[in-house]
Amino acid sequence: MKNFLKIFFLTTLIFGYSLNSFSAEKVEYLKTDWSFKGLFGKFDRGALQRGYQVYTEVCSSCHSMKYVSYRNLAEKGGPEFTEAQVKAIAASFEVKDGPNADGEMFTRPGKLSDKFVMPYENVKAAQAANGGAYPPDMSVLVKARGGGVDYIYSLLQGYEDPPAGFTLDDGVYYNKYMYGNKIKMSNQLSDGLVEYADGTNATVEQMSKDVTTFLMWTAEPHLEARHKMGFKAIVYLIILTILVYFSMKRIWSRIETEV
Amino acid sequence: MSDQEYTPKSKFGKWFNDRLPLLSLASHLTDYPTPKNLNYWWTFGGILTFCLITQIVTGLTLAMHYIAHADMAFESVEHIMRDVNYGWLIRYIHANGASMFFLAVYIHIFRSLFYGSYKSPREIIWILGIIIYLLMMAAAFMGYVLPWGQMSFWGATVITNLFSAIPLVGEGIVTWLWGGYSVDNPTLTRFFTLHYLIPFLILGLVVLHIWALHVPGNNNPVGIDIKKPSKDTVPFHPYIVIKDGFALLMFMIVFAFFVFYTPNILGHADNYIEADPLVTPAHIVPEWYLLPFYAILRSVPDKLLGVVAMLSAILILAALPWLDTSKIRSAVFRPLYKQFYWILVADVLILGYVGAMPAEGLYLLIARVATAYYFLHFLVILPVLGLKERTLPVPISITEPVLGGSLNLATAKNKESFNNK
Amino acid sequence: MAEKKTNRRDFLFTATYAVGAVGVGATVWPMIDQMNPDASVKALASTEVDVSSVTPGNTITVLWRGKPVFIRRRTQEEIAEAKSVKLEDLKDPQKDEERAKDPEWLVMLGVCTHLGCVPLDQKGDYNGWFCPCHGSHYDISGRIRKGPAPTNMEVPKYEFVNSNTIKIG
């Protein structure tokens, strides 16, 4: 039984890692400590709030986040802005609504229940405005890339001059961590680009980490609840397993005595 | 089946049982004589039943929120993950549950291969199992399409396109499957319907599978026929119930680890990208449990023959009771077969690995060798081995003599007939 | 009654059953709770309505929790009429003050309490609403006066968050 478990875990880990690392190039990503990793991982609220600021001020002009609602910003396990703050955030965006009594669509200030307003009407409009490349929606982007948070964190800092002889078309840039090294998004971050509300020094590395942390939350808003429940579930299962184990021994002892 | 007459204790019980013998059935299941030397490889049948029920319950509750339409499917899954109470939990249980289901079924199958559980008189149990396995693969494949991610869409495209390999009617069959000229909304809606249906077909077949098992009774690690009931058996309840329960809890701990801590590790990142008919992913791969067959499919350069090879790899298992000519059931007493068994295990794991790699270069070569060996094992090695192998002497019974509880190694060279029933 | 001597074996089994039962309960709950209103539905549990454009003598209809809500800005005559009705004349006696805290604004679910049709505005014998399905007449306070409906049109929880906005629910 124990051997089986060992074999099972090994096989799964091998498969898991080989499958996961498969969609990315064999390049070492930049490493940093992520507060949400590990069995007891939690989100850093400050990082989430700063990350939201970076998303809003830098990324949201091209990248939509259509599965996130404004009310999520106030919910437990996320940036945990106050409800008043989030109402103000939502109201700062114009949301399309309607039709009204005249049959026309109109715009109104956003409400808590609205989803994040998209920068473009649809995918084609987004492509047209960005040289044919669609800036991907960011709601689950972290889960949609094999390298996960490390990949995004690295990519944001991975812009550099192409090696000698590497040709780039117009509107294409060299990035060390992008699959194929060619990316149609230019370098967006520079030191001091954002003035953080909490006064943190906005270096490129800081902004990369904060916005990636924010993206991890948008992809997995229930991460903290999941970790908490997981701990309780596994502890519970271990306790029950022990009880059942001794019950089993007790029951099976009945037949050993026979014969 | 020789059950003693069961008389219910209460008057109502007797009245009901006379009309529908459910209480007699319960009594039979409770007292069912089970070999007492079953090891933990035998607990996976119970584990599989748990997996099936888990998938049905979580699937049902997911279906209350999922929308089977190409424009809304991906969004409805995100709605489940974000807004539905405990939606994230139910979705992750269902997705990882599929993997756990296949893990358990592979262990269950490989148990049978090792201990000869497929041999006479258990051929029908075995064949029912193969059919259940095929339905599981169909259900899993269609289930994976439902989130309508990139892998959903392109996996569906690749696999449904395989049918075009059939001469003459192939193209027509593919169009019929698609309900259109490519994988699109009609395909999605019918896959949802069938995905909902198949688990209940599996449930019915599992009932038949267990019923067929209860005729001869369970096989056991020594592979000998035993008298039931006897000193060699224990009543199913409480002995086997508690043991299956213990094994199930261990299984659930592993399951819980995946669900709560690494819920996406067995999946593919590309399936979090919405399906795009204009962009093909760099590497299309099915879920891990289908990888060995994917490897076999791609190892044959011809489209039709690749499909034939893949299907044959599964169907050949149905012929196993007749391909394996050995009169001895359990590999415990077949030292040469035991070695080939483990080579087969390695071969299947290798096929799984190369199935995830691009079908080129060294990977393709390995896939071809492994595929050839797979068929060699069943078509050549097994038949020959059964006839030529020198087997170890098999005990007469499980318990006697029982000093220290060790296996009785009384030679039974002249008593091989015991194993032919 | 029960023996004083606690059988160790029984305790183990009892404990196992008890702990197991906790697990079963914990597992069953999410399956049941997932059918409860989800977060996106609960977010729409209350709705804010801008009533700045509603002039006296006019009714607007808004959607709240999937049902129509009538918001009528009543004229002084209508208010006087609503208050003058004797309670004995009402099938479901209710003072107008109970139904409209601010007498100028009447907010109620536009759902007939008979079988759920939507009554028509400014129709019927009582200068209020008339339900065409089975002929229920409601007055200018939304109270049932004639017809098969058993109770007055329901007044939901609402409040003025500012002079232009009513929050319903």
Side-chain angles (χ1 to χ4, degrees), chain B residues 125-170:
Chain B
I125 306 169
W126 172 254
I127 290 173
L128 282 169
I130 302 296
I131 301 174
I132 291 170
Y133 178 50
L134 277 164
L135 285 178
M136 275 175 66
M137 289 196 282
F141 164 69
M142 289 190 287
Y144 194 66
V145 176
L146 302 182
W148 212 241
Q150 275 288 67
M151 275 310 168
S152 307
F153 181 89
W154 289 99
T157 302
V158 166
I159 299 303
T160 47
N161 260 319
L162 291 178
F163 288 87
S164 64
I166 303 170
L168 294 173
V169 292

Side-chain angles (χ1 to χ4, degrees), chain A residues 8 11-12 14-16 18-19, chain B residues 95-107 133 136-137 140 144 251 258 264-268 285-295 348-349 351-353 355-356:
Chain A
F8 167 68
T11 321
T12 322
I14 293 169
F15 267 114
S18 65
L19 287 175
Chain B
N96 286 285
S99 282
M100 297 305 290
F101 203 168
F102 277 94
L103 174 70
V105 93
Y106 286 136
I107 295 173
Y133 178 50
M136 275 175 66
M137 289 196 282
Y144 194 66
F251 185 82
F258 278 107
N264 290 299
I265 206 171
L266 296 170
H268 200 288
V285 264
E287 287 286 86
W288 69 268
Y289 39 80
L290 300 177
L291 288 173
F293 302 107
Y294 198 56
V348 171
L349 288 173
L351 278 171
Y353 182 76

Side-chain angles (χ1 to χ4, degrees), chain B residues 21-54:
Chain B
L22 281 182
L23 293 171
S24 297
L25 175 66
S27 163
H28 158 83
L29 292 172
T30 307
D31 300 336
Y32 174 65
T34 318
K36 67 171 162 187
N37 63 339
L38 295 186
N39 58 36
Y40 281 99
W41 301 112
W42 261 266
T43 57
F44 283 85
I47 287 171
L48 282 166
T49 310
F50 165 79
C51 286
L52 180 61
I53 293 170
T54 300

